[in-house]
Amino acid sequence: MPQGCWVRSTINLMSYLFPPEAPVGVPVVGHNDLFPVRRVYCVGRNYAAHAREMGFDPDREPPFFFCKPANAVVVCPPGQETAVPYPSQTENFHHEIELVVAIGKAGRDVPEDQALSLVAGYAVGLDMTRRDLQFAMRDKGRPWDISKAFDHSAPVAPIVPVSQCGHVSQAGIWLKVDGQNRQNSDITHLIWSVPEIVSTLSRFFELAPGDLIYTGTPDGVGAVTRGQLMHGGIDALGELKVRVV
């Protein structure tokens, strides 16, 4: 048997030490197939008012990014409450409502004027944060991972394909907690637009189908406690309801 065929045969017979975790699949509006999450990228301080409330100058400095694991994503079916557990090791658990970009095409070093060609759709998401741990790590000059990349920290509603919603550049974004307004803005207030975010991120990582990009949150972030209901949305993209348990 030729050596190349032998190598392929061996690879086909290999198995894992234990069953690999199945990818998180996010529903896509109007489709039967799910969007398999590959990576989750997040943009920090991308609304000027939020930068101010966090104690930073909102000058248009280059965007910065952090990541969450793919299995931090929690799918939020439309019209239903989704339970998210209050995480351990924090006494200051914050909500951040965000526009989420779903990548459907691979790209590296993508010019800004071509960046939207990678975008397959948009969704409503929450970047849940252990704020006390974030501040503690920030003040020590340490990474934020324990404050951002924990389990169940990235709830997301179904993805709306670009074919249905177009490229969202102007839409109200809001969040209520137990019916009380907390966050209310418009994505026109993004410091860095979606094309700029995608283009910049592609210089540092090769983007691929299955990537989600959380684009930042407006001002009004605050703490939630067990039992409280977060209800948020973005015009034309739908809503999500998340109960802290």
Side-chain angles (χ1 to χ4, degrees):
M1 179 182 295
Q3 184 177 9
C5 296
W6 181 83
V7 171
R8 286 195 295 273
S9 177
T10 302
I11 292 173
N12 289 337
L13 292 174
M14 290 181 69
S15 61
Y16 295 97
L17 290 173
F18 49 86
E21 184 174 343
V24 176
V26 180
V28 179
V29 176
H31 290 261
N32 293 324
D33 295 330
L34 301 175
F35 180 92
V37 180
R38 173 181 175 266
R39 291 182 180 176
V40 179
Y41 301 99
C42 303
V43 185
R45 297 199 299 266
N46 201 25
Y47 286 78
H50 174 57
R52 292 189 189 97
E53 76 175 351
M54 298 299 287
F56 294 94
D57 190 327
D59 284 347
R60 203 168 186 264
E61 61 180 355
F64 69 92
F65 305 94
F66 57 93
C67 294
K68 293 176 182 273
N71 62 6
V73 171
V74 179
V75 176
C76 302
Q80 301 180 28
E81 285 188 15
T82 300
V84 166
Y86 194 99
S88 63
Q89 306 300 313
T90 184
E91 296 180 355
N92 198 12
F93 186 38
H94 274 214
H95 59 75
E96 298 187 9
I97 190 75
E98 308 203 1
L99 170 69
V100 179
V101 175
I103 298 297
K105 178 183 174 182
R108 182 192 291 274
D109 296 322
V110 181
E112 185 181 324
D113 62 0
Q114 299 176 27
L116 290 180
S117 68
L118 273 62
V119 177
Y122 299 88
V124 184
L126 283 168
D127 168 17
M128 300 305 297
T129 303
R130 290 164 163 155
R131 190 70 72 199
D132 45 358
L133 298 187
Q134 182 187 29
F135 287 166
M137 294 300 102
R138 182 194 69 186
D139 293 345
K140 295 177 181 178
R142 295 176 180 174
W144 291 1
D145 294 60
I146 60 173
S147 72
K148 290 286 192 178
F150 54 94
D151 299 339
H152 316 293
S153 62
V156 68
I159 296 165
V160 182
V162 169
S163 60
Q164 294 189 32
C165 65
H167 286 292
V168 182
S169 59
Q170 180 177 353
I173 179 171
W174 55 273
L175 183 126
K176 299 178 180 181
V177 176
D178 288 345
Q180 300 297 313
N181 292 326
R182 287 280 187 95
Q183 295 184 265
N184 198 340
S185 187
D186 194 286
I187 62 172
T188 55
H189 297 308
L190 284 167
I191 296 173
W192 294 92
S193 69
V194 171
E196 291 170 325
I197 292 168
V198 172
S199 177
T200 303
L201 187 59
S202 75
R203 300 174 200 161
F204 298 97
F205 302 93
E206 182 173 4
L207 299 178
D211 291 344
L212 294 177
I213 306 173
Y214 283 60
T215 60
T217 195
D219 60 313
V221 301
V224 287
T225 58
R226 289 181 179 88
Q228 290 193 305
L229 177 67
M230 296 174 286
H231 179 198
I234 298 175
D235 295 348
L237 294 182
E239 304 175 3
L240 49 66
K241 294 181 179 180
V242 176
R243 177 82 65 180
V244 184
V245 298

